[in-house]
mmCIF file of all heavy atoms in Angstrom:
data_model
loop_
_atom_site.group_PDB
_atom_site.id
_atom_site.type_symbol
_atom_site.label_atom_id
_atom_site.label_comp_id
_atom_site.label_asym_id
_atom_site.label_seq_id
_atom_site.Cartn_x
_atom_site.Cartn_y
_atom_site.Cartn_z
ATOM 1 N N MET D 29 98.676 97.379 75.339
ATOM 2 C CA MET D 29 100.106 97.590 74.983
ATOM 3 C C MET D 29 100.250 97.660 73.503
ATOM 4 O O MET D 29 99.741 96.859 72.724
ATOM 5 C CB MET D 29 100.860 96.401 75.637
ATOM 6 C CG MET D 29 102.431 96.466 75.405
ATOM 7 S SD MET D 29 103.356 95.173 76.181
ATOM 8 C CE MET D 29 103.168 95.666 77.902
ATOM 9 N N ILE D 30 101.219 98.625 73.083
ATOM 10 C CA ILE D 30 101.471 98.706 71.626
ATOM 11 C C ILE D 30 102.573 97.766 71.386
ATOM 12 O O ILE D 30 103.357 97.352 72.241
ATOM 13 C CB ILE D 30 101.635 100.149 71.153
ATOM 14 C CG1 ILE D 30 102.979 100.770 71.993
ATOM 15 C CG2 ILE D 30 100.448 100.958 71.484
ATOM 16 C CD1 ILE D 30 103.293 102.143 71.498
ATOM 17 N N LEU D 31 102.717 97.510 69.996
ATOM 18 C CA LEU D 31 103.814 96.610 69.618
ATOM 19 C C LEU D 31 105.161 96.971 69.976
ATOM 20 O O LEU D 31 105.980 96.098 70.458
ATOM 21 C CB LEU D 31 103.687 96.397 68.080
ATOM 22 C CG LEU D 31 104.574 95.365 67.413
ATOM 23 C CD1 LEU D 31 104.368 94.082 67.993
ATOM 24 C CD2 LEU D 31 104.468 95.440 66.034
ATOM 25 N N THR D 32 105.625 98.299 70.003
ATOM 26 C CA THR D 32 106.930 98.630 70.371
ATOM 27 C C THR D 32 107.224 98.356 71.827
ATOM 28 O O THR D 32 108.257 97.834 72.243
ATOM 29 C CB THR D 32 107.281 100.117 69.968
ATOM 30 O OG1 THR D 32 106.285 100.955 70.628
ATOM 31 C CG2 THR D 32 107.223 100.322 68.511
ATOM 32 N N ASN D 33 106.204 98.576 72.615
ATOM 33 C CA ASN D 33 106.323 98.366 74.092
ATOM 34 C C ASN D 33 106.384 96.845 74.317
ATOM 35 O O ASN D 33 107.204 96.405 75.159
ATOM 36 C CB ASN D 33 105.147 98.982 74.790
ATOM 37 C CG ASN D 33 105.126 100.469 74.895
ATOM 38 O OD1 ASN D 33 106.061 101.063 74.475
ATOM 39 N ND2 ASN D 33 104.063 101.017 75.401
ATOM 40 N N PHE D 34 105.605 96.072 73.636
ATOM 41 C CA PHE D 34 105.622 94.603 73.722
ATOM 42 C C PHE D 34 106.883 94.090 73.436
ATOM 43 O O PHE D 34 107.540 93.254 74.086
ATOM 44 C CB PHE D 34 104.533 94.079 72.841
ATOM 45 C CG PHE D 34 104.501 92.554 72.813
ATOM 46 C CD1 PHE D 34 103.976 91.886 73.978
ATOM 47 C CD2 PHE D 34 104.795 91.815 71.776
ATOM 48 C CE1 PHE D 34 103.885 90.411 73.989
ATOM 49 C CE2 PHE D 34 104.677 90.399 71.702
ATOM 50 C CZ PHE D 34 104.197 89.725 72.866
ATOM 51 N N LEU D 35 107.577 94.524 72.328
ATOM 52 C CA LEU D 35 108.835 94.158 71.888
ATOM 53 C C LEU D 35 109.896 94.590 72.852
ATOM 54 O O LEU D 35 110.882 93.651 73.154
ATOM 55 C CB LEU D 35 109.195 94.733 70.451
ATOM 56 C CG LEU D 35 110.314 94.239 69.708
ATOM 57 C CD1 LEU D 35 110.251 92.705 69.541
ATOM 58 C CD2 LEU D 35 110.522 94.873 68.360
ATOM 59 N N ASP D 36 109.795 95.730 73.382
ATOM 60 C CA ASP D 36 110.745 96.242 74.461
ATOM 61 C C ASP D 36 110.751 95.261 75.630
ATOM 62 O O ASP D 36 111.746 94.920 76.212
ATOM 63 C CB ASP D 36 110.579 97.569 74.848
ATOM 64 C CG ASP D 36 110.965 98.630 73.755
ATOM 65 O OD1 ASP D 36 111.731 98.235 72.785
ATOM 66 O OD2 ASP D 36 110.489 99.867 73.772
ATOM 67 N N ARG D 37 109.556 94.831 75.954
ATOM 68 C CA ARG D 37 109.375 94.030 77.147
ATOM 69 C C ARG D 37 109.945 92.619 76.891
ATOM 70 O O ARG D 37 110.616 92.039 77.769
ATOM 71 C CB ARG D 37 107.868 94.005 77.568
ATOM 72 C CG ARG D 37 107.521 93.011 78.616
ATOM 73 C CD ARG D 37 107.849 93.543 79.931
ATOM 74 N NE ARG D 37 107.821 92.546 81.072
ATOM 75 C CZ ARG D 37 106.597 92.255 81.610
ATOM 76 N NH1 ARG D 37 105.477 92.853 81.391
ATOM 77 N NH2 ARG D 37 106.575 91.279 82.540
ATOM 78 N N LEU D 38 109.645 92.144 75.651
ATOM 79 C CA LEU D 38 110.285 90.822 75.343
ATOM 80 C C LEU D 38 111.791 90.912 75.483
ATOM 81 O O LEU D 38 112.434 89.950 75.857
ATOM 82 C CB LEU D 38 109.925 90.381 74.033
ATOM 83 C CG LEU D 38 108.402 90.069 73.779
ATOM 84 C CD1 LEU D 38 108.129 89.733 72.361
ATOM 85 C CD2 LEU D 38 107.900 88.994 74.704
ATOM 86 N N LYS D 39 112.456 91.911 74.920
ATOM 87 C CA LYS D 39 113.837 92.167 74.892
ATOM 88 C C LYS D 39 114.379 92.193 76.276
ATOM 89 O O LYS D 39 115.439 91.654 76.703
ATOM 90 C CB LYS D 39 114.291 93.391 74.204
ATOM 91 C CG LYS D 39 114.166 93.185 72.625
ATOM 92 C CD LYS D 39 114.487 94.470 72.004
ATOM 93 C CE LYS D 39 114.312 94.318 70.469
ATOM 94 N NZ LYS D 39 114.681 95.545 69.747
ATOM 95 N N GLN D 40 113.680 92.952 77.223
ATOM 96 C CA GLN D 40 114.088 93.039 78.666
ATOM 97 C C GLN D 40 113.987 91.640 79.332
ATOM 98 O O GLN D 40 114.915 91.260 80.086
ATOM 99 C CB GLN D 40 113.095 93.967 79.395
ATOM 100 C CG GLN D 40 113.421 94.040 80.860
ATOM 101 C CD GLN D 40 112.358 94.830 81.624
ATOM 102 O OE1 GLN D 40 111.320 95.253 81.014
ATOM 103 N NE2 GLN D 40 112.625 95.012 82.861
ATOM 104 N N GLU D 41 112.935 90.880 79.083
ATOM 105 C CA GLU D 41 112.904 89.559 79.534
ATOM 106 C C GLU D 41 114.035 88.685 79.093
ATOM 107 O O GLU D 41 114.567 87.835 79.786
ATOM 108 C CB GLU D 41 111.521 88.932 79.207
ATOM 109 C CG GLU D 41 110.397 89.656 79.916
ATOM 110 C CD GLU D 41 110.259 89.413 81.429
ATOM 111 O OE1 GLU D 41 110.898 88.465 81.956
ATOM 112 O OE2 GLU D 41 109.576 90.240 82.121
ATOM 113 N N TYR D 42 114.303 88.758 77.857
ATOM 114 C CA TYR D 42 115.347 87.922 77.203
ATOM 115 C C TYR D 42 116.617 88.206 77.858
ATOM 116 O O TYR D 42 117.402 87.330 78.265
ATOM 117 C CB TYR D 42 115.536 88.280 75.685
ATOM 118 C CG TYR D 42 116.544 87.546 74.993
ATOM 119 C CD1 TYR D 42 116.483 86.208 74.645
ATOM 120 C CD2 TYR D 42 117.844 88.089 74.829
ATOM 121 C CE1 TYR D 42 117.545 85.563 73.954
ATOM 122 C CE2 TYR D 42 118.906 87.476 74.202
ATOM 123 C CZ TYR D 42 118.776 86.221 73.817
ATOM 124 O OH TYR D 42 119.780 85.513 73.191
ATOM 125 N N TYR D 43 117.030 89.485 78.071
ATOM 126 C CA TYR D 43 118.260 89.856 78.581
ATOM 127 C C TYR D 43 118.566 89.618 80.150
ATOM 128 O O TYR D 43 119.575 89.587 80.642
ATOM 129 C CB TYR D 43 118.678 91.402 78.240
ATOM 130 C CG TYR D 43 118.967 91.529 76.774
ATOM 131 C CD1 TYR D 43 118.244 92.298 75.944
ATOM 132 C CD2 TYR D 43 120.060 90.844 76.219
ATOM 133 C CE1 TYR D 43 118.453 92.318 74.636
ATOM 134 C CE2 TYR D 43 120.283 90.938 74.871
ATOM 135 C CZ TYR D 43 119.515 91.770 74.085
ATOM 136 O OH TYR D 43 119.753 91.816 72.723
ATOM 137 N N THR D 44 117.348 89.536 80.750
ATOM 138 C CA THR D 44 117.392 89.359 82.235
ATOM 139 C C THR D 44 117.097 87.869 82.632
ATOM 140 O O THR D 44 117.051 87.577 83.858
ATOM 141 C CB THR D 44 116.460 90.365 82.921
ATOM 142 O OG1 THR D 44 115.132 90.125 82.539
ATOM 143 C CG2 THR D 44 116.895 91.724 82.744
ATOM 144 N N LEU D 45 116.764 87.095 81.728
ATOM 145 C CA LEU D 45 116.353 85.685 82.010
ATOM 146 C C LEU D 45 117.385 84.927 82.706
ATOM 147 O O LEU D 45 117.075 84.013 83.543
ATOM 148 C CB LEU D 45 116.026 84.965 80.629
ATOM 149 C CG LEU D 45 115.057 83.743 80.745
ATOM 150 C CD1 LEU D 45 113.723 84.164 81.408
ATOM 151 C CD2 LEU D 45 114.919 83.174 79.458
ATOM 152 N N ASP D 46 118.709 85.172 82.505
ATOM 153 C CA ASP D 46 119.675 84.423 83.121
ATOM 154 C C ASP D 46 119.732 84.710 84.643
ATOM 155 O O ASP D 46 120.347 83.985 85.471
ATOM 156 C CB ASP D 46 121.104 84.772 82.529
ATOM 157 C CG ASP D 46 121.214 84.203 81.143
ATOM 158 O OD1 ASP D 46 120.689 83.146 80.875
ATOM 159 O OD2 ASP D 46 121.981 84.847 80.306
ATOM 160 N N GLY D 47 119.165 85.849 85.075
ATOM 161 C CA GLY D 47 119.088 86.159 86.477
ATOM 162 C C GLY D 47 118.045 85.444 87.212
ATOM 163 O O GLY D 47 117.861 85.665 88.467
ATOM 164 N N LEU D 48 117.216 84.545 86.621
ATOM 165 C CA LEU D 48 116.225 83.804 87.384
ATOM 166 C C LEU D 48 116.893 82.847 88.331
ATOM 167 O O LEU D 48 117.918 82.286 88.084
ATOM 168 C CB LEU D 48 115.416 82.897 86.323
ATOM 169 C CG LEU D 48 114.445 83.634 85.437
ATOM 170 C CD1 LEU D 48 113.705 82.665 84.619
ATOM 171 C CD2 LEU D 48 113.500 84.564 86.228
ATOM 172 N N SER D 49 116.338 82.780 89.455
ATOM 173 C CA SER D 49 116.769 81.930 90.494
ATOM 174 C C SER D 49 115.674 81.027 91.029
ATOM 175 O O SER D 49 114.506 81.160 90.616
ATOM 176 C CB SER D 49 117.403 82.698 91.666
ATOM 177 O OG SER D 49 116.306 83.466 92.274
ATOM 178 N N GLN D 50 116.032 80.099 91.912
ATOM 179 C CA GLN D 50 115.079 79.210 92.557
ATOM 180 C C GLN D 50 113.986 79.960 93.241
ATOM 181 O O GLN D 50 112.853 79.606 93.391
ATOM 182 C CB GLN D 50 115.768 78.166 93.470
ATOM 183 C CG GLN D 50 116.582 77.166 92.771
ATOM 184 C CD GLN D 50 115.950 76.271 91.928
ATOM 185 O OE1 GLN D 50 116.187 76.127 90.697
ATOM 186 N NE2 GLN D 50 114.904 75.499 92.404
ATOM 187 N N GLU D 51 114.381 81.082 93.739
ATOM 188 C CA GLU D 51 113.431 81.978 94.564
ATOM 189 C C GLU D 51 112.508 82.854 93.736
ATOM 190 O O GLU D 51 111.461 83.148 94.169
ATOM 191 C CB GLU D 51 114.275 82.907 95.515
ATOM 192 C CG GLU D 51 114.994 82.179 96.617
ATOM 193 C CD GLU D 51 116.352 81.500 96.096
ATOM 194 O OE1 GLU D 51 116.902 82.005 95.214
ATOM 195 O OE2 GLU D 51 116.630 80.520 96.605
ATOM 196 N N ASN D 52 112.937 83.192 92.560
ATOM 197 C CA ASN D 52 112.065 84.167 91.763
ATOM 198 C C ASN D 52 111.572 83.725 90.476
ATOM 199 O O ASN D 52 110.800 84.436 89.742
ATOM 200 C CB ASN D 52 112.816 85.515 91.553
ATOM 201 C CG ASN D 52 114.012 85.360 90.591
ATOM 202 O OD1 ASN D 52 114.209 84.388 89.925
ATOM 203 N ND2 ASN D 52 114.708 86.469 90.408
ATOM 204 N N TYR D 53 111.898 82.535 89.985
ATOM 205 C CA TYR D 53 111.615 82.063 88.614
ATOM 206 C C TYR D 53 110.061 81.932 88.470
ATOM 207 O O TYR D 53 109.581 82.341 87.374
ATOM 208 C CB TYR D 53 112.321 80.794 88.274
ATOM 209 C CG TYR D 53 111.669 79.553 88.844
ATOM 210 C CD1 TYR D 53 110.588 78.894 88.261
ATOM 211 C CD2 TYR D 53 112.106 79.082 90.098
ATOM 212 C CE1 TYR D 53 110.094 77.806 88.807
ATOM 213 C CE2 TYR D 53 111.538 77.897 90.558
ATOM 214 C CZ TYR D 53 110.507 77.328 89.988
ATOM 215 O OH TYR D 53 110.035 76.146 90.607
ATOM 216 N N TYR D 54 109.392 81.400 89.438
ATOM 217 C CA TYR D 54 107.999 81.215 89.131
ATOM 218 C C TYR D 54 107.169 82.492 88.890
ATOM 219 O O TYR D 54 106.351 82.541 87.879
ATOM 220 C CB TYR D 54 107.281 80.417 90.244
ATOM 221 C CG TYR D 54 105.888 79.900 89.968
ATOM 222 C CD1 TYR D 54 105.791 78.704 89.237
ATOM 223 C CD2 TYR D 54 104.781 80.687 90.357
ATOM 224 C CE1 TYR D 54 104.457 78.291 88.904
ATOM 225 C CE2 TYR D 54 103.540 80.156 89.892
ATOM 226 C CZ TYR D 54 103.418 79.005 89.267
ATOM 227 O OH TYR D 54 102.132 78.663 88.908
ATOM 228 N N ALA D 55 107.405 83.514 89.647
ATOM 229 C CA ALA D 55 106.668 84.778 89.538
ATOM 230 C C ALA D 55 107.052 85.450 88.194
ATOM 231 O O ALA D 55 106.185 85.905 87.410
ATOM 232 C CB ALA D 55 106.975 85.623 90.676
ATOM 233 N N ARG D 56 108.334 85.464 87.933
ATOM 234 C CA ARG D 56 108.797 86.150 86.655
ATOM 235 C C ARG D 56 108.289 85.431 85.386
ATOM 236 O O ARG D 56 107.804 86.038 84.463
ATOM 237 C CB ARG D 56 110.398 86.100 86.656
ATOM 238 C CG ARG D 56 111.005 87.041 87.485
ATOM 239 C CD ARG D 56 111.297 88.432 86.906
ATOM 240 N NE ARG D 56 111.784 88.389 85.532
ATOM 241 C CZ ARG D 56 113.158 88.216 85.244
ATOM 242 N NH1 ARG D 56 114.026 88.086 86.156
ATOM 243 N NH2 ARG D 56 113.531 88.260 83.981
ATOM 244 N N LEU D 57 108.449 84.039 85.313
ATOM 245 C CA LEU D 57 108.002 83.300 84.169
ATOM 246 C C LEU D 57 106.451 83.340 84.074
ATOM 247 O O LEU D 57 105.885 83.474 83.021
ATOM 248 C CB LEU D 57 108.478 81.821 84.248
ATOM 249 C CG LEU D 57 109.995 81.749 84.040
ATOM 250 C CD1 LEU D 57 110.398 80.269 84.058
ATOM 251 C CD2 LEU D 57 110.318 82.189 82.645
ATOM 252 N N SER D 58 105.762 83.262 85.227
ATOM 253 C CA SER D 58 104.235 83.379 85.113
ATOM 254 C C SER D 58 103.822 84.734 84.526
ATOM 255 O O SER D 58 102.914 84.773 83.645
ATOM 256 C CB SER D 58 103.714 83.216 86.552
ATOM 257 O OG SER D 58 103.872 81.957 86.972
ATOM 258 N N GLY D 59 104.435 85.738 84.942
ATOM 259 C CA GLY D 59 104.157 87.022 84.377
ATOM 260 C C GLY D 59 104.444 87.194 82.934
ATOM 261 O O GLY D 59 103.716 87.748 82.188
ATOM 262 N N LEU D 60 105.531 86.572 82.461
ATOM 263 C CA LEU D 60 105.893 86.530 81.114
ATOM 264 C C LEU D 60 104.888 85.851 80.373
ATOM 265 O O LEU D 60 104.460 86.197 79.221
ATOM 266 C CB LEU D 60 107.234 86.009 80.878
ATOM 267 C CG LEU D 60 107.778 85.663 79.406
ATOM 268 C CD1 LEU D 60 107.802 87.076 78.647
ATOM 269 C CD2 LEU D 60 109.070 85.100 79.440
ATOM 270 N N PHE D 61 104.474 84.577 80.752
ATOM 271 C CA PHE D 61 103.501 83.833 80.107
ATOM 272 C C PHE D 61 102.053 84.576 79.947
ATOM 273 O O PHE D 61 101.451 84.405 78.966
ATOM 274 C CB PHE D 61 103.370 82.424 80.730
ATOM 275 C CG PHE D 61 104.549 81.562 80.552
ATOM 276 C CD1 PHE D 61 105.066 80.867 81.556
ATOM 277 C CD2 PHE D 61 105.292 81.581 79.312
ATOM 278 C CE1 PHE D 61 106.240 80.099 81.424
ATOM 279 C CE2 PHE D 61 106.416 80.756 79.087
ATOM 280 C CZ PHE D 61 106.837 79.997 80.145
ATOM 281 N N VAL D 62 101.795 85.277 80.953
ATOM 282 C CA VAL D 62 100.521 86.116 80.890
ATOM 283 C C VAL D 62 100.665 87.204 79.805
ATOM 284 O O VAL D 62 99.739 87.377 79.106
ATOM 285 C CB VAL D 62 100.085 86.653 82.334
ATOM 286 C CG1 VAL D 62 99.072 87.686 82.231
ATOM 287 C CG2 VAL D 62 99.810 85.559 83.267
ATOM 288 N N LEU D 63 101.749 87.875 79.822
ATOM 289 C CA LEU D 63 102.033 88.801 78.832
ATOM 290 C C LEU D 63 101.877 88.171 77.461
ATOM 291 O O LEU D 63 101.277 88.893 76.582
ATOM 292 C CB LEU D 63 103.397 89.413 79.003
ATOM 293 C CG LEU D 63 103.890 90.469 77.935
ATOM 294 C CD1 LEU D 63 103.282 91.799 78.074
ATOM 295 C CD2 LEU D 63 105.397 90.575 78.015
ATOM 296 N N LEU D 64 102.511 87.151 77.264
ATOM 297 C CA LEU D 64 102.531 86.486 75.940
ATOM 298 C C LEU D 64 101.080 86.039 75.473
ATOM 299 O O LEU D 64 100.603 86.188 74.419
ATOM 300 C CB LEU D 64 103.476 85.343 75.828
ATOM 301 C CG LEU D 64 104.867 85.606 75.872
ATOM 302 C CD1 LEU D 64 105.664 84.338 76.157
ATOM 303 C CD2 LEU D 64 105.378 86.319 74.657
ATOM 304 N N GLU D 65 100.357 85.508 76.529
ATOM 305 C CA GLU D 65 99.036 85.045 76.264
ATOM 306 C C GLU D 65 98.009 86.258 75.984
ATOM 307 O O GLU D 65 97.287 86.117 74.954
ATOM 308 C CB GLU D 65 98.428 84.231 77.457
ATOM 309 C CG GLU D 65 97.015 83.646 77.190
ATOM 310 C CD GLU D 65 96.651 82.848 78.488
ATOM 311 O OE1 GLU D 65 97.364 82.553 79.272
ATOM 312 O OE2 GLU D 65 95.450 82.538 78.351
ATOM 313 N N LEU D 66 98.094 87.185 76.774
ATOM 314 C CA LEU D 66 97.198 88.302 76.555
ATOM 315 C C LEU D 66 97.504 89.316 75.436
ATOM 316 O O LEU D 66 96.866 89.470 74.441
ATOM 317 C CB LEU D 66 96.933 89.068 77.848
ATOM 318 C CG LEU D 66 96.404 88.239 79.029
ATOM 319 C CD1 LEU D 66 96.225 89.025 80.282
ATOM 320 C CD2 LEU D 66 95.042 87.614 78.645
ATOM 321 N N ASP D 67 98.677 89.941 75.699
ATOM 322 C CA ASP D 67 99.128 90.885 74.681
ATOM 323 C C ASP D 67 99.640 90.343 73.417
ATOM 324 O O ASP D 67 99.404 90.880 72.265
ATOM 325 C CB ASP D 67 100.169 91.888 75.307
ATOM 326 C CG ASP D 67 99.563 92.852 76.323
ATOM 327 O OD1 ASP D 67 98.379 93.332 76.122
ATOM 328 O OD2 ASP D 67 100.155 93.100 77.361
ATOM 329 N N GLY D 68 100.369 89.168 73.594
ATOM 330 C CA GLY D 68 100.910 88.567 72.405
ATOM 331 C C GLY D 68 99.852 88.085 71.498
ATOM 332 O O GLY D 68 99.865 88.299 70.259
ATOM 333 N N GLU D 69 98.799 87.417 72.020
ATOM 334 C CA GLU D 69 97.664 86.911 71.148
ATOM 335 C C GLU D 69 96.968 88.178 70.549
ATOM 336 O O GLU D 69 96.528 88.071 69.231
ATOM 337 C CB GLU D 69 96.689 86.217 72.031
ATOM 338 C CG GLU D 69 97.174 84.897 72.499
ATOM 339 C CD GLU D 69 97.339 83.835 71.457
ATOM 340 O OE1 GLU D 69 96.625 83.970 70.317
ATOM 341 O OE2 GLU D 69 98.029 82.746 71.645
ATOM 342 N N ARG D 70 96.681 89.177 71.289
ATOM 343 C CA ARG D 70 95.988 90.396 70.703
ATOM 344 C C ARG D 70 96.752 91.076 69.626
ATOM 345 O O ARG D 70 96.278 91.260 68.548
ATOM 346 C CB ARG D 70 95.644 91.350 71.818
ATOM 347 C CG ARG D 70 94.894 92.530 71.335
ATOM 348 C CD ARG D 70 94.606 93.611 72.445
ATOM 349 N NE ARG D 70 95.827 93.952 73.151
ATOM 350 C CZ ARG D 70 96.763 94.827 72.653
ATOM 351 N NH1 ARG D 70 96.565 95.464 71.490
ATOM 352 N NH2 ARG D 70 97.805 95.180 73.285
#
């Protein structure tokens, strides 16, 4: 992933974070944390 795509994804996550619910939070946050760990670190 290139930096602009990474930044766009972070912004998307930021703006949609309020939509997390008891049913979907774990999958969404887990995916975000994997993105941060892999692409963020790189």
Side-chain angles (χ1 to χ4, degrees):
M29 180 175 291
I30 62 173
L31 185 58
T32 55
N33 291 351
F34 180 70
L35 190 56
D36 288 343
R37 175 74 187 277
L38 294 179
K39 289 178 181 179
Q40 176 189 6
E41 293 292 340
Y42 175 84
Y43 289 116
T44 60
L45 201 60
D46 290 330
L48 290 181
S49 67
Q50 291 295 121
E51 292 77 32
N52 71 3
Y53 76 87
Y54 190 82
R56 286 269 315 277
L57 289 177
S58 294
L60 173 61
F61 291 137
V62 168
L63 172 77
L64 291 168
E65 182 177 348
L66 299 178
D67 289 322
E69 292 285 344
R70 182 182 54 78

